Amino acid sequence: MDDLYSCDLVVVGAGFYGATVAERAAARGLRVLVVDRRDHIGGNAYTEVHPETGIEVHRYGPHLFHTPNAEVWNYLNRFTGFTDFQLRVWSSHRGQLYPLPVNLATISQFFGRHLSPAEARALIAAQTEGLDPQAATNLEDKAVASIGRPLYEAFIRDYTAKQWQTDPRLLPAATIARLPVRYTTDTRYFSDRFQGLPVDGYTAIFERMLDSPRVALRLGLDWFDMRHAAPAGLPVVYTGPIDRYFDYAEGRLGWRTTRFEAETVAVGDYQGTAIVNYPDAGVPFTRIVEYRHLYPDRPYPADRSVIVREFPRFAAGDDEPFYPVDTAEDRARLVRYRARAEAEPDVLFGGRLGTYRYLDMHQAIAMALRDWETLAPRFG
Ligand code: FAD
Ligand code: UDP
């Protein structure tokens, strides 16, 4: 183990946060040890080729890159080109297919009449009279104040309950604020200026980011099984779950995980699009992802396709923690974990798991670039 630590910095976790810090540190001439408990790089953005069909799949759920941040976009473009893919999501409610997020076409179709933007606004205004989305403190109040109760009950209430296994009244309003409401027929899922998919998949980005003689990569190693041998004072960037770092001393933070059920189907096109959500309570999964549609120009087989159904649930035991649930109780616990984290002078807690924040990829990268600027002076 000793020569493992002949480095200037340890990065725990080879996801976007860890890989960005490692890349920046190596570019500054530092020697970096990157460890990940998984047997691959890329964190949750990891992509791989499905052996039976050659279709590229995302092992931890579909990852669509989008950002308004030119700095992050330019940074990532050093390691990959992007396709012009823009995500469009459909929602299958009571046997009908609707575009999401809620837009003029969704409202018109749901209420059975072609509405003008002004008519749609007036209809939603009547349903949300006296409600202020800015004042809402939980997901349900925010959604009802934004789109009215009928659309909320059709597309949001049961989907959210399935996805978070938590009453929507106990979830933060910010979670639903991720989805826009549009009075146009713009059916893109994201509004960001920069959007696309990496031309060679996500894993190739990480291979390029970590391709430096100054980066030593150790996969399949858990930091908690090796940290006892690390020299005192060695700086560590930790991107695993913050509660695990402190051995759950303040109790467990709520995390959501997902079971992915993949199936190879004997048709060239199963659902005609990449993502179809199933918001009805009677359907046990939240959505079906058909990966071939992420790269429509690739020469994938015409007679087979890969679909993945997603079954979210609370994370327990060894489950992969995917999303912070972030109830009021979680937030109170997090304050105590943050106080503990501040008392660790040699450890920087970063990324989605390390900060218990619902970060998209571009936000994890932005956070890493910013944190690196703060950390770098320490190395002279
Ligand atoms: P991670 O990618 O989780 O990396 C952390 C790494 O640390 C992991 O590889 C883990 O194995 C490792 N680790 C943890 N503990 C230890 C330990 N003790 N020892 C060693 N290694 C350890 N973002 C988007 O922008 N667009 C999307 O469409 C999108 N879709 C998503 C869909 C799903 C289902 C999920 C779960 C996330 C999605 N995200 C999306 C969010 C995206 O995954 C995160 O923004 C990104 O992964 C954050 O990077 P990170 O480096 O903080 O964490
Ligand atoms: N959501 C919903 N119905 C949908 C899609 C999303 O109710 O068809 C809610 C759900 O609570 C979700 C939130 O909107 O967590 C934000 O959507 P996003 O696609 O960002 O969710 P994620 O998969 O990242 O949780």
Side-chain angles (χ1 to χ4, degrees):
M1 277 272 161
D2 280 354
D3 54 337
L4 245 192
Y5 293 114
S6 54
C7 61
D8 304 299
L9 172 69
V10 178
V11 172
V12 180
F16 265 120
Y17 185 97
T20 302
V21 170
E23 189 281 329
R24 290 291 74 206
R28 268 276 307 263
L30 302 179
R31 292 160 308 155
V32 190
L33 169 64
V34 178
V35 294
D36 202 297
R37 61 205 284 261
R38 292 173 172 166
D39 63 0
H40 60 75
I41 54 178
N44 285 345
Y46 176 68
T47 52
E48 59 193 334
V49 172
H50 181 251
E52 244 177 280
T53 59
I55 294 170
E56 184 165 31
V57 298
H58 299 192
R59 189 183 287 183
Y60 305 98
H63 278 66
L64 291 305
F65 194 81
H66 59 100
T67 184
N69 184 331
E71 186 195 355
V72 167
W73 180 251
N74 292 335
Y75 175 70
L76 217 47
N77 271 273
R78 293 193 210 166
F79 309 103
T80 183
F82 280 90
T83 70
D84 60 1
F85 186 86
Q86 296 184 320
L87 181 67
R88 287 184 165 75
V89 172
W90 297 85
S91 184
S92 177
H93 170 59
R94 295 193 181 163
Q96 291 281 333
L97 199 57
Y98 297 87
L100 269 194
V102 170
N103 63 78
L104 188 59
T106 324
I107 301 169
S108 291
Q109 190 182 343
F110 187 78
F111 292 104
R113 193 161 67 86
H114 178 177
L115 298 165
S116 71
E119 287 169 333
R121 278 182 196 278
L123 190 152
I124 298 299
Q127 293 184 357
T128 57
E129 205 180 336
L131 305 175
D132 177 6
Q134 305 305 327
T137 55
N138 66 67
L139 192 152
E140 175 163 305
D141 288 353
K142 175 92 177 174
V144 172
S146 307
I147 57 174
R149 191 157 282 280
L151 287 165
Y152 167 71
E153 288 182 357
F155 298 111
I156 308 296
R157 184 189 58 194
D158 299 331
Y159 184 97
T160 296
K162 278 196 277 186
Q163 185 166 13
W164 294 96
Q165 320 274 293
T166 300
D167 186 326
R169 283 169 297 192
L170 299 177
L171 291 168
T175 299
I176 198 67
R178 291 162 63 85
L179 296 188
V181 180
R182 302 197 187 103
Y183 294 94
T184 66
T185 56
D186 179 356
T187 53
R188 292 173 309 156
Y189 202 66
F190 306 113
S191 311
D192 293 322
R193 177 171 164 210
F194 305 107
Q195 304 190 28
L197 286 169
V199 170
D200 306 312
Y202 285 96
T203 303
I205 300 182
F206 292 92
E207 283 164 359
R208 293 166 198 154
M209 288 176 88
L210 299 174
D211 180 22
S212 161
R214 286 187 285 275
V215 172
L217 182 61
R218 294 287 183 281
L219 297 173
L221 278 185
D222 192 309
W223 176 240
F224 299 110
D225 295 335
M226 56 190 287
R227 70 168 164 178
H228 60 276
L234 183 63
V236 174
V237 170
Y238 173 79
T239 74
I242 188 168
D243 54 353
R244 181 166 182 227
Y245 187 91
F246 296 106
D247 210 13
Y248 309 106
E250 305 288 352
R252 280 181 184 263
L253 292 166
W255 299 96
R256 183 169 66 82
T257 194
T258 301
R259 181 168 65 82
F260 299 102
E261 204 177 271
E263 187 186 348
T264 306
V265 289
V267 289
D269 193 354
Y270 178 80
Q271 62 183 14
T273 191
I275 300 182
V276 178
N277 290 356
Y278 286 84
D280 297 345
V283 180
F285 46 85
T286 47
R287 59 183 180 179
I288 299 181
V289 181
E290 187 173 15
Y291 279 98
R292 67 179 306 128
H293 291 293
L294 295 183
Y295 290 94
D297 297 329
R298 286 188 183 172
Y300 286 150
D303 57 349
R304 276 165 305 154
S305 195
V306 182
I307 60 166
V308 179
R309 294 185 179 83
E310 296 189 3
F311 299 81
R313 58 176 159 75
F314 263 110
D318 284 342
D319 281 343
E320 294 286 352
F322 281 166
Y323 285 115
V325 179
D326 206 17
T327 60
E329 197 185 328
D330 289 324
R331 285 193 289 276
R333 252 187 205 130
L334 181 60
V335 168
R336 299 199 293 275
Y337 278 121
R338 287 209 175 127
R340 284 177 179 260
E342 270 162 32
E344 297 272 321
D346 301 318
V347 184
L348 172 68
F349 292 80
R352 202 169 36 90
L353 305 172
T355 61
Y356 194 70
R357 284 177 57 193
Y358 195 163
L359 302 176
D360 276 329
M361 293 179 282
H362 68 102
Q363 293 164 320
I365 296 165
M367 184 189 258
L369 291 173
R370 205 178 52 232
D371 288 352
W372 171 248
E373 289 305 316
T374 311
L375 192 63
R378 179 183 173 138
F379 299 96

